[in-house]
Structures are given as structure tokens and as C-alpha cells.
Amino acid sequence: MILIGENINIMSQTIGAALKERNPGPIQQLVRDEIEAGIDYLDLNIGPARKGGDELMDWVVNAVQAVTDKPLSLDTTNPVAMEAGLKVAKNKPLINSISLQPDRLEPGLQLAKRYNANLIGLLWGAEGMPRDANERAMHVVDFVYKANETGIPNEHIWIDPIVSPVSVEINQVKACIELMSMLADIAPGCKSTVGMSNISNGTPHNLRPWLNRTYMIMLMKYGLYSAIVDAFDTDLIKIAKGERPEIVSLVHRMMEGEKPDMAALNEEEARYAKTARVLMGESLYSHSWLEI
Ligand code: THG
């Protein structure tokens, strides 16, 4: 799997301040640490960046490229900032992201075409968040059709079904899995990605990795191509790199209907199994799901 490090983002206190002060040190150190941890792409999340976003994106891309050749995922909703990043990115970058909102789609696709970039197709439509897997599938078909019309090949398109927190709506959690199971049929050749940490937004900090890792394993069953992840969750990185096949197998067997004998599992396995039950919608989410 291709891993995109989420850690350079304006919401983080140290990185937010470094971006604001144009102080490259903390950002460049984080870049080195993310690479050391094993990530393939660096997500540069500067948020909506309404004022001066182009100048900020130009600055951060150059600061990052001073210490690495890794490809960048340019994460902003500001199209002017996006173009500023594309202009200076050296290694084929990833546009993160282009939604299906009518005023966003066409200009976004033109940018991707002009800079020959990879692009994330975010399944956010004219009416906002899709309600279920079918609405997501219709968005995929629509997105891919328009991209192809613009001259963008499927191989450049990374579909993002939009992961939402398990504490908010379990049906959306299931819908993303279902969409992933349909993707190869409805959009052959397209790739996929998700914001992995979205699933655990709003849950106690120390418990977030269990949700992130288990949901990643579930999406991997249907060929998840890449994910935007916390670079410093070492177990998650190991799982993504195929180093924990027994845990992956346990969760996948549960998805196929197997009910493991909980008493026979070790503590780590039991945590994955309990989390899988929650994410499959078989038991209700609460902050104490691992205790039950
Ligand atoms: N899809 C796409 N792009 C995305 C997302 C997505 N980009 C943004 C986001 N979702 C993925 N990136 C993050 C980055 C940080 C966190 C979650 C997702 C996060 N951070 C911690 C927090 O807020 O508590 C810690 C912040 C810190 O570093 O201090 O949860 O879905 N295409």
C-alpha cells in the first residue's frame, strides 16, 4: 500500500505556528521523521488558506523539497494555492482533492490535466456528503466520465469515498467498505485512498489507533491502494506493509462471517476482534468498546 503521511497539517499546534511564521525547521524535521517511519507521500495540509494561500503553498513545497524528493500530496481547497504548489512540485504530485461540486470539478480537472498530476476524486457532490454506497458509486461514474472527457486516464485517479467517524454514523462506515468492494468493477484502473484517521475522530486519543488500523485492514480486503495515515503509528505501518498477516487474516475471516472464540484470542487479537465487530456494525460504538 502507498502511505501518505498526514502529519504536516495546519491544525497541529507546532506545524500551524511554523507555517504562519515561515519557520522551516519544525516542518523539515517532521518530514525526515515521517520518511524514517516509512511513508511514501507527504500530505501538505494547509487547510482552506483563503488569504495568501498561494504564497504559503509555494513556500511549504519548497521548504519540504529542500530535504526530500518524495512526492507530495497538496491538500487544500483553495484552487489558487493548489496551482502554486503544482508549479513548484518536482516529483509528480497528488492533487488532494477535487470534489464533484459543480464549481469545483471542471477547474480542478483542468489543473490536473495541465500539470499531468495524480488527483484524488473526493466523492462530495452538489448535495454534500453522499448518503450511501450507491450514491457514492454514481459519483464515481460521473467523476471518471468527466475526467476521461478532459483527457485524464483512470490510472491518475485516486477515488476517496470520504470516511466519517464511527462515533457519528455507522452506516457511513459500512458504505465506504461497500463502495470499495464495487470500485474495481465500476472504475477499472482507478486507484483509491482514504483519510484513515477520520474514522477515529472524536474518540479518546490513546484508543484511536485501534480504530484506524482495524478499518484499514477492512478496506484492504477490497484492495485499498493508498491511505492518508498517522506516520507515527508503527503498528499501522507494519500492517500496511504486510508484516502482520495473522491479524489481517483474523479481521478478514470475521468479515466473511466467522465468529472467533474470544476466549482463545490473545489480548491484542481480542482488541482487533472487538473493534472489527464495532466497525461492521455488529456491536454499538461507545468510548469503552474495548472493555466490553
Ligand atoms: N481525504 C482526503 N484528504 C484528507 C482527509 C480525507 N485530508 C485531511 C484529513 N482527511 C486527513 N488528515 C488528517 C490529519 C490529522 C488528523 C486527521 C486527519 C488528526 N490529527 C490529530 C488531531 O486532530 O487530534 C492530531 C493533530 C496534531 O498533529 O496535533 O486527527 O479524508 N483526500
Side-chain angles (χ1 to χ4, degrees):
M1 249 177 79
I2 299 290
L3 298 174
I4 307 168
E6 73 179 15
N7 304 77
I8 300 173
N9 81 83
I10 197 151
M11 308 271 276
S12 138
Q13 264 183 20
T14 45
I15 296 307
L19 286 168
K20 199 166 157 219
E21 295 157 10
R22 304 289 194 267
N23 173 16
I27 296 168
Q28 291 171 334
Q29 190 52 50
L30 191 52
V31 167
R32 291 191 194 94
D33 293 344
E34 286 195 59
I35 293 169
E36 171 79 24
I39 70 98
D40 305 295
Y41 275 73
L42 293 146
D43 192 65
L44 306 183
N45 184 349
I46 63 163
R50 286 195 190 85
K51 264 199 250 161
D54 49 343
E55 198 267 323
L56 177 59
M57 186 63 98
D58 172 278
W59 178 82
V60 71
V61 168
N62 282 313
V64 170
Q65 290 185 153
V67 293
T68 183
D69 309 325
K70 291 271 184 210
L72 307 177
S73 158
L74 307 173
D75 194 347
T76 178
T77 46
N78 175 344
V80 182
M82 182 63 72
E83 180 153 21
L86 291 168
K87 274 185 184 152
V88 286
K90 290 183 200 148
N91 193 356
K92 195 180 180 77
L94 177 61
I95 295 179
N96 185 7
S97 56
I98 302 171
S99 73
L100 288 103
Q101 287 156 290
D103 56 326
R104 295 271 168 184
L105 182 55
E106 197 47 46
L109 294 174
Q110 293 298 339
L111 265 188
K113 170 75 183 158
R114 191 169 331 131
Y115 290 91
N116 191 36
N118 289 310
L119 62 149
I120 296 180
L122 190 75
L123 304 184
W124 181 273
E127 284 140 44
M129 185 77 171
R131 278 165 287 251
D132 55 20
N134 285 332
E135 202 171 331
R136 284 175 165 81
M138 286 190 289
H139 284 339
V140 170
V141 172
D142 212 18
F143 189 94
V144 172
Y145 180 82
K146 294 203 168 93
N148 291 167
E149 239 184 6
T150 312
I152 296 168
N154 287 13
E155 288 64 32
H156 284 187
I157 303 171
W158 303 23
I159 295 293
D160 181 342
I162 314 184
V163 169
S164 48
V166 64
S167 57
V168 174
E169 241 245 63
I170 188 64
N171 286 327
Q172 290 287 15
V173 174
K174 292 200 241 176
C176 285
I177 301 277
E178 196 184 338
L179 185 277
M180 201 59 62
S181 76
M182 308 180 340
L183 195 60
D185 288 328
I186 57 178
C190 283
K191 293 163 176 161
S192 53
T193 199
V194 292
M196 210 69 259
S197 304
N198 298 10
I199 190 72
S200 62
N201 220 330
T203 55
H205 186 76
N206 60 318
L207 301 179
R208 291 187 67 172
W210 296 103
L211 289 163
N212 300 346
R213 294 174 204 154
T214 308
Y215 198 50
M216 182 177 75
I217 294 171
M218 291 170 69
L219 292 162
M220 283 164 66
K221 187 168 199 296
Y222 300 110
L224 181 67
Y225 173 77
S226 73
I228 307 165
V229 301
D230 176 4
F232 305 117
D233 181 347
T234 42
D235 281 358
L236 179 136
I237 306 281
K238 278 187 191 154
I239 293 166
K241 292 184 184 291
E243 289 169 31
R244 300 298 312 276
E246 74 293 358
I247 293 292
V248 172
S249 163
L250 169 67
V251 173
H252 287 183
R253 281 184 279 119
M254 288 179 71
M255 292 170 78
E256 285 155 17
E258 193 176 305
K259 308 264 178 259
D261 173 8
M262 296 302 273
L265 300 180
N266 67 34
E267 197 181 327
E268 186 197 31
E269 291 165 340
R271 287 183 165 225
Y272 282 105
K274 286 177 184 176
T275 310
R277 273 196 201 150
V278 168
L279 292 171
M280 290 191 289
E282 288 176 6
S283 52
L284 218 53
Y285 176 81
S286 79
H287 289 344
S288 56
W289 88 95
L290 288 176
E291 255 86 279
I292 298 164

